[in-house]
Amino acid sequence: MNIIDSFFNWDQITAILPDLILVGLPNTLILAIGAMILGSLVGILVALASMSKRAILRIPARVYVDLLRGLPVILTIFLLGQGLPLMGVRIFGDSSYPYGILTLALIAGAYIAEIFRSGIQALPAGQLEAARALGMPHGMAMRLIVIPQGIRNVLPALTNQFIATIKDSSLVYLLGFTVSERELYRIGQDAAQQTGNLSPLVAAGIMYLIITIPLTYVVNYMDRRFKTGRRPENAMTGEHDAANLTTGAVAATPAEPVQGAQR
């Protein structure tokens, strides 16, 4: 069997495309987006706790971040996705799908917490001090001034984490999804096992690339945009004022002899 027939069999690829597009792609995006939304909420709370002066908040936050970042993703999925139901924690019933989202969210939350923490700590300390000097409580100053700026600074890193979560979603098939809950990798793997051909897995890989490559360029654009920044409005206003003054001076120049003649 040659390479083309093993990896790029067009009949195998076209046969698997409907399932990849109609079932695998939506489920992959649901898993990744759901995990990122929940992970962002967890991440920002853990980030604030890790920067707290209270050891009762700071120590558990650091333990959570270190554990979830240090363990392999596949092991965390097994421990949480299968361990929680075995412990009797069946808040989602018998479906493994929500456990997949929860597990990915907790993994992403550990990385997002560090992203938020670095973004917040990169801001000048004087901004928080100025807000406190104006009478703002610490919580209000963080919520209205510090956190929004920190989020803006870390948007490229959050997009990178979203890409990583999309790829990590290929491992939650280990929890045992139903046919309608399968994501891209599981559909490609099932077809490859049934046919003995790797072309379905190549098709699944292409679908991942269709999602992640545009996001990579979005990250690069955002990174360049935030590094260069916008031109200050006052500088632009100053240029317009200078142009107006120059125009006014040019317009007034031929009028001077006339005024002198009238005198």
Side-chain angles (χ1 to χ4, degrees), residues 78-103:
F78 267 123
L79 291 176
L80 295 178
Q82 293 187 351
L84 291 178
L86 289 175
M87 292 169 55
V89 182
R90 296 184 177 274
I91 55 178
F92 304 113
D94 295 329
S95 175
S96 299
Y97 198 84
Y99 289 99
I101 295 177
L102 177 62
T103 303

Side-chain angles (χ1 to χ4, degrees), residues 119-183:
I120 291 172
Q121 290 182 337
L123 294 175
Q127 297 197 19
L128 180 60
E129 295 172 357
R132 296 301 303 276
L134 292 174
M136 280 191 180
H138 183 272
M140 180 182 293
M142 292 292 292
R143 187 175 69 254
L144 298 180
I145 296 175
V146 177
I147 293 178
Q149 294 183 76
I151 291 175
R152 179 183 180 274
N153 290 339
V154 301
L155 279 177
L158 286 177
T159 309
N160 266 330
Q161 181 57 43
F162 180 49
I163 294 173
T165 303
I166 290 173
K167 294 186 290 185
D168 288 344
S169 68
S170 63
L171 298 173
V172 296
Y173 79 94
L174 298 167
L175 301 180
F177 288 171
T178 63
V179 174
S180 62
E181 294 173 343
R182 295 178 303 168
E183 32 66 50

